[in-house]
Structure formats: C-alpha cells, structure tokens
Coordinates of all heavy atoms in Angstrom, one line a residue:
M251 N 0.9 21.8 67.5 CA -0.1 20.8 67.0 C 0.5 20.2 65.7 O 0.6 20.9 64.7 CB -1.5 21.4 66.8 CG -2.5 20.5 66.4 SD -4.2 21.3 66.4 CE -4.9 20.6 67.8
D252 N 0.9 18.9 65.7 CA 1.4 18.3 64.5 C 0.4 17.7 63.6 O 0.7 17.5 62.5 CB 2.5 17.3 64.9 CG 3.7 17.8 65.6 OD1 3.9 19.1 65.6 OD2 4.4 17.1 66.3
D253 N -0.7 17.4 64.1 CA -1.8 16.7 63.4 C -2.5 17.7 62.5 O -3.3 18.5 62.9 CB -2.7 16.1 64.5 CG -3.9 15.4 63.8 OD1 -3.9 15.1 62.5 OD2 -4.9 15.2 64.5
S254 N -2.2 17.6 61.2 CA -2.8 18.7 60.2 C -4.4 18.5 60.2 O -5.0 19.5 60.0 CB -2.2 18.6 58.9 OG -2.5 17.3 58.3
L255 N -4.8 17.3 60.3 CA -6.3 17.1 60.3 C -6.9 17.7 61.5 O -7.9 18.4 61.4 CB -6.6 15.6 60.1 CG -8.1 15.3 60.0 CD1 -8.7 15.8 58.7 CD2 -8.3 13.8 60.1
G256 N -6.4 17.5 62.6 CA -6.8 18.1 63.9 C -6.8 19.6 63.8 O -7.7 20.3 64.3
R257 N -5.7 20.1 63.3 CA -5.5 21.6 63.2 C -6.5 22.2 62.2 O -7.2 23.1 62.5 CB -4.1 21.9 62.6 CG -3.8 23.4 62.6 CD -2.4 23.7 62.2 NE -1.8 22.8 61.2 CZ -0.9 21.9 61.6 NH1 -0.5 21.6 62.8 NH2 -0.3 21.1 60.6
E258 N -6.9 21.5 61.1 CA -7.9 22.0 60.2 C -9.3 21.9 60.9 O -10.1 22.9 60.7 CB -7.9 21.2 58.9 CG -8.8 21.7 57.9 CD -8.8 21.1 56.6 OE1 -7.7 20.5 56.2 OE2 -9.6 21.3 55.7
Q259 N -9.5 20.8 61.6 CA -10.8 20.7 62.3 C -11.0 22.0 63.2 O -12.0 22.6 63.4 CB -11.0 19.4 63.0 CG -11.5 18.3 62.1 CD -11.8 17.1 62.9 OE1 -10.9 16.4 63.3 NE2 -13.0 16.8 63.2
A260 N -9.9 22.2 64.1 CA -9.9 23.3 65.0 C -10.2 24.6 64.4 O -10.9 25.4 64.8 CB -8.6 23.3 65.8
V261 N -9.5 24.9 63.3 CA -9.6 26.1 62.6 C -11.1 26.3 62.1 O -11.7 27.4 62.3 CB -8.7 26.2 61.4 CG1 -9.0 27.4 60.4 CG2 -7.2 26.4 61.9
R262 N -11.6 25.3 61.4 CA -13.0 25.4 60.9 C -14.0 25.5 62.0 O -15.0 26.3 61.9 CB -13.2 24.2 60.0 CG -12.5 24.2 58.7 CD -13.0 23.1 57.8 NE -12.2 23.1 56.7 CZ -12.6 22.7 55.5 NH1 -13.9 22.2 55.3 NH2 -11.9 22.7 54.4
L263 N -13.8 24.8 63.2 CA -14.7 24.9 64.3 C -14.6 26.3 64.9 O -15.7 26.9 65.1 CB -14.3 23.8 65.3 CG -15.1 23.8 66.6 CD1 -16.6 23.6 66.4 CD2 -14.6 22.7 67.6
H264 N -13.5 26.8 65.1 CA -13.3 28.1 65.6 C -14.0 29.2 64.8 O -14.7 30.1 65.2 CB -11.8 28.4 65.8 CG -11.6 29.7 66.5 ND1 -11.8 29.9 67.9 CD2 -11.1 30.9 66.1 CE1 -11.4 31.1 68.2 NE2 -11.1 31.8 67.1
Q265 N -13.8 29.1 63.4 CA -14.3 30.1 62.5 C -15.9 30.0 62.5 O -16.5 31.0 62.6 CB -13.9 29.7 61.1 CG -12.5 30.1 60.8 CD -12.0 29.7 59.4 OE1 -12.6 28.8 58.7 NE2 -10.9 30.2 59.0
A266 N -16.4 28.7 62.6 CA -17.9 28.6 62.7 C -18.5 29.2 63.9 O -19.5 30.0 63.9 CB -18.3 27.2 62.5
L267 N -17.8 29.0 65.0 CA -18.3 29.6 66.3 C -18.2 31.1 66.3 O -19.1 31.8 66.7 CB -17.4 29.1 67.5 CG -17.5 27.5 67.8 CD1 -16.5 27.2 68.9 CD2 -18.9 27.1 68.1
E268 N -17.1 31.7 65.7 CA -17.0 33.1 65.6 C -18.1 33.8 64.7 O -18.7 34.7 65.1 CB -15.6 33.5 65.0 CG -14.5 33.2 66.0 CD -14.5 34.1 67.2 OE1 -14.7 35.3 67.1 OE2 -14.3 33.6 68.3
R269 N -18.3 33.1 63.5 CA -19.3 33.7 62.7 C -20.8 33.6 63.3 O -21.6 34.5 63.0 CB -19.3 32.8 61.3 CG -18.3 33.2 60.4 CD -18.5 32.6 59.0 NE -18.7 31.1 59.0 CZ -17.6 30.3 59.0 NH1 -16.5 30.7 58.7 NH2 -17.9 29.0 59.0
A270 N -21.0 32.5 64.1 CA -22.3 32.4 64.6 C -22.4 33.0 66.1 O -23.5 32.9 66.7 CB -22.6 30.9 64.7
S271 N -21.3 33.7 66.5 CA -21.3 34.3 67.8 C -21.6 33.3 69.0 O -22.4 33.6 69.8 CB -22.2 35.5 67.9 OG -21.8 36.5 67.0
I272 N -21.1 32.1 68.8 CA -21.3 31.1 69.9 C -20.1 31.0 70.8 O -19.0 30.9 70.3 CB -21.5 29.7 69.2 CG1 -22.9 29.7 68.4 CG2 -21.6 28.6 70.3 CD1 -23.1 28.5 67.5
K273 N -20.3 31.2 72.0 CA -19.3 31.2 73.0 C -18.7 29.8 73.3 O -19.4 28.8 73.1 CB -19.7 31.8 74.3 CG -20.3 33.1 74.2 CD -19.2 34.2 74.0 CE -19.7 35.6 74.0 NZ -18.8 36.5 73.4
H274 N -17.4 29.7 73.6 CA -16.7 28.4 73.8 C -17.4 27.6 74.9 O -17.5 26.4 74.8 CB -15.3 28.6 74.0 CG -14.5 29.2 72.9 ND1 -13.3 29.6 73.1 CD2 -14.9 29.6 71.6 CE1 -12.8 30.2 71.9 NE2 -13.8 30.1 71.0
R275 N -17.9 28.2 75.9 CA -18.6 27.6 77.0 C -19.8 26.8 76.6 O -20.1 25.8 77.0 CB -18.8 28.5 78.2 CG -19.4 27.8 79.4 CD -19.5 28.8 80.6 NE -20.0 28.0 81.8 CZ -19.3 27.2 82.5 NH1 -18.0 27.0 82.3 NH2 -19.8 26.6 83.6
R276 N -20.6 27.5 75.7 CA -21.8 26.9 75.2 C -21.5 25.7 74.4 O -22.2 24.6 74.6 CB -22.6 27.9 74.4 CG -23.9 27.5 74.0 CD -24.7 28.6 73.3 NE -26.0 28.0 72.7 CZ -26.5 28.5 71.7 NH1 -26.1 29.6 71.1 NH2 -27.6 27.9 71.1
L277 N -20.5 25.8 73.6 CA -20.1 24.6 72.8 C -19.6 23.4 73.8 O -20.0 22.3 73.7 CB -18.9 24.9 71.9 CG -18.3 23.7 71.2 CD1 -19.1 23.1 70.2 CD2 -16.9 24.0 70.6
W278 N -18.8 23.8 74.8 CA -18.4 22.8 75.8 C -19.5 22.1 76.5 O -19.5 20.9 76.7 CB -17.4 23.5 76.8 CG -16.8 22.5 77.8 CD1 -16.0 21.5 77.6 CD2 -17.2 22.6 79.1 NE1 -15.7 20.9 78.8 CE2 -16.5 21.6 79.7 CE3 -18.0 23.4 79.9 CZ2 -16.5 21.3 81.1 CZ3 -18.0 23.2 81.3 CH2 -17.3 22.1 81.9
V279 N -20.5 22.9 76.9 CA -21.6 22.3 77.7 C -22.4 21.3 76.7 O -22.7 20.2 77.1 CB -22.6 23.4 78.2 CG1 -23.9 22.7 78.7 CG2 -21.9 24.1 79.3
R280 N -22.5 21.7 75.4 CA -23.2 20.8 74.5 C -22.4 19.5 74.3 O -22.9 18.4 74.2 CB -23.5 21.5 73.1 CG -24.2 20.7 72.1 CD -25.6 20.2 72.5 NE -26.5 21.3 72.8 CZ -27.4 21.8 72.0 NH1 -27.5 21.4 70.8 NH2 -28.2 22.8 72.4
Y281 N -21.2 19.7 74.1 CA -20.1 18.7 73.9 C -20.2 17.7 75.0 O -20.2 16.4 74.9 CB -18.8 19.3 73.7 CG -17.6 18.4 74.0 CD1 -17.1 17.5 73.0 CD2 -16.8 18.6 75.2 CE1 -16.0 16.7 73.3 CE2 -15.7 17.9 75.4 CZ -15.3 16.9 74.5 OH -14.2 16.2 74.8
L282 N -20.2 18.1 76.3 CA -20.3 17.3 77.5 C -21.6 16.5 77.4 O -21.6 15.3 77.8 CB -20.3 18.1 78.7 CG -18.9 18.6 79.2 CD1 -19.1 19.4 80.5 CD2 -17.9 17.5 79.3
S283 N -22.7 17.1 77.0 CA -24.0 16.4 77.0 C -24.0 15.2 75.9 O -24.8 14.3 76.0 CB -25.1 17.3 76.7 OG -25.1 17.8 75.4
L284 N -23.0 15.3 74.9 CA -23.0 14.3 73.9 C -21.9 13.2 74.3 O -21.7 12.3 73.6 CB -22.6 14.9 72.5 CG -23.5 15.9 72.0 CD1 -22.9 16.6 70.7 CD2 -24.9 15.2 71.6
G285 N -21.3 13.4 75.5 CA -20.4 12.3 75.9 C -18.9 12.7 75.9 O -18.0 11.9 76.1
G286 N -18.6 14.0 75.6 CA -17.3 14.5 75.5 C -16.6 14.4 76.9 O -17.2 14.5 77.9
S287 N -15.3 14.3 76.9 CA -14.6 14.1 78.2 C -13.5 15.1 78.4 O -12.9 15.2 79.5 CB -13.9 12.7 78.2 OG -12.9 12.6 77.2
A288 N -13.2 16.0 77.5 CA -12.3 17.1 77.7 C -12.8 18.2 78.6 O -14.0 18.5 78.4 CB -11.8 17.6 76.4
D289 N -12.0 18.7 79.4 CA -12.5 19.8 80.2 C -12.6 21.2 79.4 O -12.1 21.2 78.3 CB -11.7 20.0 81.5 CG -10.3 20.5 81.4 OD1 -10.0 21.2 80.4 OD2 -9.5 20.0 82.2
E290 N -13.2 22.2 80.0 CA -13.4 23.4 79.3 C -12.0 24.1 78.9 O -12.0 24.6 77.7 CB -14.2 24.4 80.1 CG -14.6 25.6 79.5 CD -15.4 26.6 80.3 OE1 -15.7 26.3 81.5 OE2 -16.0 27.6 79.7
L291 N -11.1 24.0 79.7 CA -9.8 24.6 79.4 C -9.1 23.9 78.2 O -8.5 24.5 77.2 CB -8.8 24.5 80.6 CG -7.5 25.2 80.4 CD1 -7.6 26.7 80.1 CD2 -6.6 25.0 81.7
E292 N -9.2 22.6 78.1 CA -8.7 21.8 77.0 C -9.4 22.1 75.7 O -8.8 22.2 74.7 CB -8.8 20.3 77.3 CG -7.9 19.8 78.4 CD -8.2 18.4 78.8 OE1 -9.4 18.0 78.9 OE2 -7.2 17.6 79.0
V293 N -10.7 22.3 75.7 CA -11.4 22.6 74.5 C -11.0 24.0 74.0 O -10.8 24.2 72.9 CB -13.0 22.6 74.8 CG1 -13.7 23.2 73.6 CG2 -13.5 21.1 75.0
G294 N -10.9 24.9 74.9 CA -10.4 26.2 74.6 C -9.0 26.2 74.0 O -8.7 26.9 72.9
A295 N -8.1 25.4 74.5 CA -6.8 25.3 74.0 C -6.8 24.6 72.6 O -6.1 25.0 71.7 CB -5.9 24.5 74.9
Y296 N -7.7 23.7 72.4 CA -7.9 23.0 71.1 C -8.3 24.0 70.0 O -7.8 24.1 69.0 CB -8.8 21.8 71.2 CG -9.2 21.3 69.9 CD1 -8.3 20.6 69.1 CD2 -10.5 21.5 69.4 CE1 -8.7 20.1 67.8 CE2 -10.9 21.0 68.1 CZ -9.9 20.3 67.4 OH -10.3 19.9 66.1
L297 N -9.3 24.8 70.4 CA -9.9 25.8 69.5 C -8.8 26.8 69.1 O -8.9 27.4 68.0 CB -11.0 26.5 70.1 CG -12.3 25.6 70.2 CD1 -13.4 26.4 71.1 CD2 -12.9 25.2 68.9
H298 N -7.8 27.1 69.9 CA -6.8 28.0 69.6 C -5.5 27.3 69.1 O -4.4 27.9 69.0 CB -6.5 28.9 70.8 CG -7.6 29.9 71.0 ND1 -8.6 29.5 71.9 CD2 -7.8 31.0 70.5 CE1 -9.4 30.6 72.0 NE2 -9.0 31.5 71.1
Q299 N -5.7 26.0 68.8 CA -4.6 25.2 68.2 C -3.4 25.0 69.1 O -2.2 24.9 68.7 CB -4.1 25.7 66.8 CG -5.3 25.8 65.9 CD -4.9 26.5 64.6 OE1 -3.8 26.2 64.0 NE2 -5.8 27.4 64.1
C300 N -3.6 25.0 70.4 CA -2.5 24.9 71.4 C -2.5 23.5 71.9 O -1.6 23.2 72.7 CB -2.7 25.8 72.5 SG -2.6 27.6 72.0
L301 N -3.5 22.7 71.6 CA -3.6 21.3 72.2 C -4.2 20.4 71.1 O -5.2 20.8 70.5 CB -4.5 21.4 73.5 CG -4.7 20.0 74.2 CD1 -3.5 19.5 74.9 CD2 -5.9 20.2 75.1
E302 N -3.7 19.2 71.1 CA -4.3 18.2 70.1 C -5.3 17.4 71.0 O -5.1 17.1 72.2 CB -3.2 17.2 69.7 CG -2.3 17.8 68.7 CD -1.2 16.9 68.3 OE1 -1.3 15.7 68.5 OE2 -0.2 17.3 67.6
L303 N -6.4 17.0 70.3 CA -7.4 16.2 70.9 C -7.5 14.9 70.1 O -7.3 15.0 68.9 CB -8.7 16.9 71.0 CG -8.9 18.0 72.0 CD1 -10.3 18.6 72.0 CD2 -8.7 17.4 73.5
P304 N -7.9 13.8 70.7 CA -8.1 12.6 70.0 C -9.3 12.8 69.0 O -10.2 13.6 69.2 CB -8.5 11.6 71.0 CG -8.1 12.1 72.3 CD -8.1 13.5 72.1
V305 N -9.3 12.0 67.9 CA -10.3 12.1 66.8 C -11.7 12.0 67.5 O -12.6 12.8 67.0 CB -10.1 11.0 65.8 CG1 -11.3 11.0 64.8 CG2 -8.8 11.2 65.0
R306 N -12.0 11.1 68.4 CA -13.3 11.0 68.9 C -13.8 12.3 69.6 O -14.9 12.8 69.3 CB -13.4 9.9 70.0 CG -14.7 9.8 70.7 CD -14.7 8.8 71.8 NE -16.0 8.7 72.4 CZ -16.5 9.5 73.4 NH1 -15.8 10.5 73.8 NH2 -17.7 9.3 73.9
E307 N -12.9 13.0 70.3 CA -13.2 14.2 70.9 C -13.4 15.4 70.0 O -14.4 16.1 70.1 CB -12.1 14.6 72.0 CG -11.9 13.6 73.1 CD -13.2 13.1 73.8 OE1 -14.0 14.0 74.2 OE2 -13.4 11.9 74.0
R308 N -12.6 15.4 68.9 CA -12.7 16.4 67.9 C -14.1 16.2 67.2 O -14.8 17.2 66.9 CB -11.6 16.3 66.9 CG -10.2 16.6 67.5 CD -9.1 16.8 66.4 NE -9.2 15.9 65.2 CZ -8.3 14.9 65.0 NH1 -7.2 14.8 65.7 NH2 -8.4 14.3 63.8
D309 N -14.4 15.0 66.8 CA -15.7 14.8 66.2 C -16.9 15.1 67.0 O -17.9 15.6 66.5 CB -15.7 13.4 65.6 CG -14.8 13.1 64.4 OD1 -14.4 14.1 63.8 OD2 -14.6 12.0 64.0
L310 N -16.8 14.8 68.2 CA -17.9 15.2 69.2 C -18.0 16.7 69.3 O -19.2 17.3 69.3 CB -17.6 14.7 70.6 CG -18.0 13.3 70.8 CD1 -17.5 12.8 72.3 CD2 -19.4 12.9 70.7
L311 N -16.9 17.5 69.2 CA -17.0 18.9 69.2 C -17.6 19.4 68.0 O -18.4 20.3 67.9 CB -15.6 19.5 69.4 CG -15.0 19.5 70.8 CD1 -13.5 19.8 70.8 CD2 -15.8 20.5 71.7
S312 N -17.3 18.8 66.8 CA -18.0 19.1 65.5 C -19.5 18.9 65.6 O -20.3 19.7 65.2 CB -17.3 18.4 64.3 OG -16.0 18.7 64.2
W313 N -19.8 17.8 66.1 CA -21.2 17.4 66.2 C -21.9 18.4 67.1 O -23.0 18.8 66.8 CB -21.2 16.0 66.7 CG -22.6 15.4 66.9 CD1 -23.8 15.8 66.3 CD2 -23.1 14.3 67.8 NE1 -24.9 15.0 66.7 CE2 -24.4 14.1 67.6 CE3 -22.4 13.5 68.7 CZ2 -25.2 13.1 68.3 CZ3 -23.0 12.5 69.3 CH2 -24.5 12.3 69.1
A314 N -21.3 18.7 68.3 CA -21.9 19.6 69.2 C -22.1 21.0 68.5 O -23.2 21.6 68.6 CB -21.0 19.8 70.4
A315 N -21.1 21.5 67.8 CA -21.3 22.7 67.1 C -22.4 22.7 66.0 O -23.1 23.6 65.9 CB -19.9 23.1 66.4
N316 N -22.4 21.6 65.3 CA -23.5 21.5 64.3 C -24.9 21.5 64.9 O -25.8 21.9 64.2 CB -23.2 20.3 63.4 CG -22.0 20.4 62.5 OD1 -21.7 21.5 62.1 ND2 -21.3 19.3 62.2
T317 N -25.0 21.0 66.1 CA -26.3 21.1 66.7 C -26.7 22.5 67.2 O -27.9 22.8 67.4 CB -26.5 20.1 67.9 OG1 -25.6 20.6 68.9 CG2 -26.1 18.7 67.5
L318 N -25.7 23.3 67.3 CA -25.9 24.7 67.8 C -26.0 25.7 66.6 O -26.6 26.8 66.8 CB -24.7 25.2 68.6 CG -24.6 24.4 70.0 CD1 -23.2 24.8 70.7 CD2 -25.8 24.7 70.9
L319 N -25.5 25.4 65.5 CA -25.5 26.3 64.3 C -26.8 26.2 63.6 O -27.5 25.2 63.4 CB -24.4 25.9 63.3 CG -23.0 26.0 63.8 CD1 -22.1 25.4 62.8 CD2 -22.6 27.5 63.9
D320 N -27.3 27.4 63.1 CA -28.4 27.5 62.3 C -28.0 27.2 60.9 O -27.3 27.9 60.3 CB -29.1 28.9 62.4 CG -30.3 29.1 61.6 OD1 -30.6 28.4 60.8 OD2 -31.1 30.0 62.0
R321 N -28.6 26.1 60.3 CA -28.1 25.6 59.0 C -28.5 26.5 57.9 O -27.9 26.5 56.8 CB -28.7 24.3 58.8 CG -28.2 23.2 59.6 CD -28.8 21.8 59.4 NE -28.5 21.0 60.5 CZ -29.0 19.7 60.6 NH1 -29.9 19.4 59.7 NH2 -28.7 19.0 61.6
R322 N -29.4 27.4 58.1 CA -29.8 28.3 57.1 C -28.7 29.4 56.8 O -28.5 30.0 55.7 CB -31.1 29.1 57.4 CG -32.2 28.2 57.4 CD -33.5 28.9 57.9 NE -33.2 29.3 59.3 CZ -34.0 30.0 60.0 NH1 -35.2 30.5 59.5 NH2 -33.7 30.3 61.3
Y323 N -27.9 29.7 57.9 CA -26.9 30.7 57.8 C -25.5 30.3 57.9 O -24.5 31.1 57.6 CB -27.2 31.8 58.8 CG -28.6 32.3 58.7 CD1 -29.6 32.0 59.7 CD2 -29.0 33.1 57.7 CE1 -30.9 32.4 59.7 CE2 -30.3 33.6 57.7 CZ -31.2 33.3 58.6 OH -32.5 33.7 58.5
H324 N -25.2 29.1 58.4 CA -23.9 28.8 58.7 C -23.6 27.3 58.2 O -24.4 26.4 58.4 CB -23.7 28.7 60.2 CG -23.9 30.0 60.9 ND1 -23.1 31.1 60.7 CD2 -25.0 30.4 61.6 CE1 -23.6 32.2 61.4 NE2 -24.8 31.8 61.9
P325 N -22.5 27.2 57.5 CA -22.1 25.8 57.0 C -21.8 25.0 58.1 O -21.4 25.3 59.2 CB -20.9 26.1 56.1 CG -20.3 27.4 56.6 CD -21.4 28.2 57.2
R326 N -22.0 23.7 57.9 CA -21.7 22.6 58.8 C -20.2 22.5 59.1 O -19.3 22.7 58.3 CB -22.2 21.3 58.1 CG -22.3 20.2 58.8 CD -22.9 19.0 57.9 NE -22.6 17.8 58.7 CZ -21.4 17.1 58.6 NH1 -20.4 17.6 57.9 NH2 -21.2 16.1 59.3
V327 N -19.8 22.1 60.4 CA -18.5 21.9 60.7 C -18.2 20.4 60.4 O -18.8 19.6 60.8 CB -18.2 22.2 62.3 CG1 -16.8 21.8 62.6 CG2 -18.6 23.6 62.6
P328 N -17.1 20.2 59.6 CA -16.8 18.9 59.2 C -16.2 18.0 60.3 O -15.4 18.5 61.2 CB -15.7 19.1 58.1 CG -15.1 20.3 58.4 CD -16.1 21.2 59.0
S329 N -16.5 16.7 60.2 CA -15.9 15.7 61.0 C -14.6 15.3 60.4 O -14.3 15.7 59.3 CB -16.8 14.5 61.2 OG -16.9 13.8 59.9
S330 N -13.8 14.5 61.1 CA -12.5 13.9 60.5 C -12.9 13.1 59.3 O -12.1 13.2 58.3 CB -11.8 13.1 61.6 OG -12.6 12.1 62.1
A331 N -13.9 12.3 59.3 CA -14.3 11.5 58.1 C -14.7 12.4 56.9 O -14.3 12.1 55.8 CB -15.5 10.6 58.4
D332 N -15.3 13.5 57.2 CA -15.6 14.5 56.1 C -14.4 15.0 55.4 O -14.3 15.1 54.2 CB -16.5 15.7 56.6 CG -17.9 15.3 57.1 OD1 -18.4 14.2 56.7 OD2 -18.4 16.0 58.0
L333 N -13.4 15.3 56.2 CA -12.2 15.9 55.7 C -11.3 14.8 55.0 O -10.5 15.2 54.2 CB -11.4 16.4 56.8 CG -12.0 17.8 57.4 CD1 -11.2 18.2 58.6 CD2 -12.1 18.9 56.5
L334 N -11.4 13.6 55.4 CA -10.7 12.5 54.7 C -11.3 12.0 53.4 O -10.7 11.3 52.6 CB -10.5 11.4 55.7 CG -9.6 11.6 56.8 CD1 -9.6 10.5 57.8 CD2 -8.2 11.8 56.3
R335 N -12.6 12.3 53.2 CA -13.4 11.8 52.0 C -12.7 12.4 50.8 O -12.4 13.6 50.7 CB -14.8 12.3 52.2 CG -15.8 11.5 51.4 CD -17.2 11.8 51.8 NE -17.5 11.2 53.1 CZ -18.1 11.8 54.1 NH1 -18.7 13.0 53.9 NH2 -18.3 11.2 55.2
P336 N -12.5 11.5 49.8 CA -12.0 12.1 48.4 C -13.0 13.2 47.9 O -14.2 13.1 48.0 CB -12.1 10.9 47.5 CG -12.2 9.7 48.4 CD -12.8 10.2 49.7
G337 N -12.2 14.2 47.4 CA -13.0 15.4 46.8 C -13.4 16.4 47.8 O -14.0 17.4 47.5
S338 N -13.0 16.2 49.1 CA -13.3 17.2 50.1 C -12.4 18.4 49.8 O -11.4 18.3 49.2 CB -13.0 16.7 51.5 OG -11.7 16.5 51.8
D339 N -12.8 19.5 50.3 CA -11.9 20.7 50.1 C -10.9 20.8 51.3 O -10.6 22.0 51.7 CB -12.8 21.9 50.0 CG -13.6 22.2 51.2 OD1 -13.8 21.3 52.1 OD2 -14.2 23.3 51.3
R340 N -10.4 19.7 51.7 CA -9.4 19.7 52.8 C -8.2 20.6 52.5 O -7.7 20.7 51.4 CB -8.9 18.3 53.0 CG -7.9 18.2 54.2 CD -7.7 16.9 54.7 NE -6.9 17.0 55.8 CZ -5.7 16.4 56.0 NH1 -5.3 15.6 55.2 NH2 -5.0 16.6 57.1
G341 N -7.8 21.3 53.5 CA -6.7 22.3 53.3 C -7.1 23.6 53.0 O -6.3 24.5 52.9
V342 N -8.4 23.9 52.7 CA -8.8 25.1 52.3 C -9.9 25.6 53.2 O -11.1 25.6 52.9 CB -9.4 25.2 50.8 CG1 -9.7 26.6 50.4 CG2 -8.3 24.6 50.0
P343 N -9.6 26.1 54.5 CA -10.7 26.5 55.3 C -11.3 27.7 54.8 O -10.8 28.5 54.1 CB -9.9 26.8 56.6 CG -8.6 26.3 56.5 CD -8.3 26.0 55.0
E344 N -12.6 27.8 55.1 CA -13.4 29.0 54.7 C -12.8 30.3 55.2 O -12.3 30.3 56.4 CB -14.8 28.9 55.2 CG -15.8 28.4 54.2 CD -17.2 28.4 54.7 OE1 -17.6 29.6 55.1 OE2 -17.8 27.4 54.6
R345 N -12.8 31.3 54.4 CA -12.2 32.6 54.9 C -13.3 33.4 55.5 O -14.5 33.3 55.2 CB -11.7 33.4 53.7 CG -10.5 32.8 53.1 CD -9.9 33.7 52.1 NE -8.7 33.1 51.4 CZ -7.5 33.4 51.8 NH1 -7.3 34.3 52.8 NH2 -6.5 32.8 51.2
T346 N -12.9 34.1 56.5 CA -13.9 35.0 57.2 C -13.7 36.4 56.6 O -12.6 36.7 56.2 CB -13.7 35.0 58.7 OG1 -12.4 35.4 59.0 CG2 -14.1 33.7 59.4
A347 N -14.7 37.2 56.7 CA -14.7 38.5 56.2 C -13.8 39.5 57.0 O -13.6 39.3 58.0 CB -16.1 39.1 56.0

C-alpha cells in the first residue's frame, strides 16, 4: 500500500474495531448499507493493509465504523478530510494497550 493516508485510515479503523470488539463482517454489512461497493474480502484486505481502496470507500468505512462505535468509550475513526485538516495528529495513530 503506497498511499500513506489510506494506510493510516486502515490502521486507525482496524485499531478501533479491535478495541470495540467489532467483527469485520459487521462493519462490512453496515458499510454496504451506506452505499459501499467493496466486497467483504476487499474490506478485510484493506483493514490488514494489503489492498488500497479509493477515498470514497475508505470514508464510507470510517462512517460505518463510527455508527457502530459507542462514543462514550471509543474515539471516532477519522475520515480522509479529518486527517488532511491542519493541526490533525496525522501520522500518530493511537496506541493500543
């Protein structure tokens, strides 16, 4: 994966799902309901940084994850626009315990 923004989104999304114990299939089903077009295998490969996805698909995955996360306990998964915003903590994904 050459796209550093896409890689960062994938890492943060994967971390958020792990912390919240959300299975990839559940994310994929929500993502499809929001208009996503990647299949389940492609989403899994993206989450493991083995496949690049277009910005639209990555942002739909972030949106899908954010609808599944309990905001009281889990930080929001950033969109590509969030990561490009000046002052963002881009390049410093949250560490897991």
Side-chain angles (χ1 to χ4, degrees):
M251 186 177 251
D252 292 346
D253 177 18
S254 64
L255 183 65
R257 185 173 34 257
E258 185 168 347
Q259 277 187 283
V261 167
R262 290 186 183 208
L263 177 57
H264 186 75
Q265 288 174 344
L267 296 175
E268 290 293 314
R269 281 191 305 269
S271 298
I272 295 172
K273 301 289 183 197
H274 297 171
R275 182 170 183 83
R276 185 171 172 209
L277 171 71
W278 178 68
V279 169
R280 180 64 59 98
Y281 157 80
L282 285 180
S283 74
L284 297 173
S287 62
D289 65 33
E290 187 175 6
L291 185 61
E292 290 172 317
V293 170
Y296 169 70
L297 290 171
H298 290 93
Q299 303 172 47
C300 297
L301 177 73
E302 293 179 10
L303 288 177
V305 172
R306 178 187 181 278
E307 301 306 316
R308 296 190 324 241
D309 287 346
L310 281 173
L311 284 166
S312 294
W313 182 21
N316 288 330
T317 66
L318 296 171
L319 293 170
D320 185 334
R321 293 182 193 168
R322 294 173 295 174
Y323 305 109
H324 303 286
R326 193 178 162 279
V327 177
S329 68
S330 55
D332 293 334
L333 292 174
L334 290 172
R335 204 167 285 139
S338 73
D339 59 348
R340 182 162 186 238
V342 186
E344 260 186 56
R345 294 186 181 261
T346 56

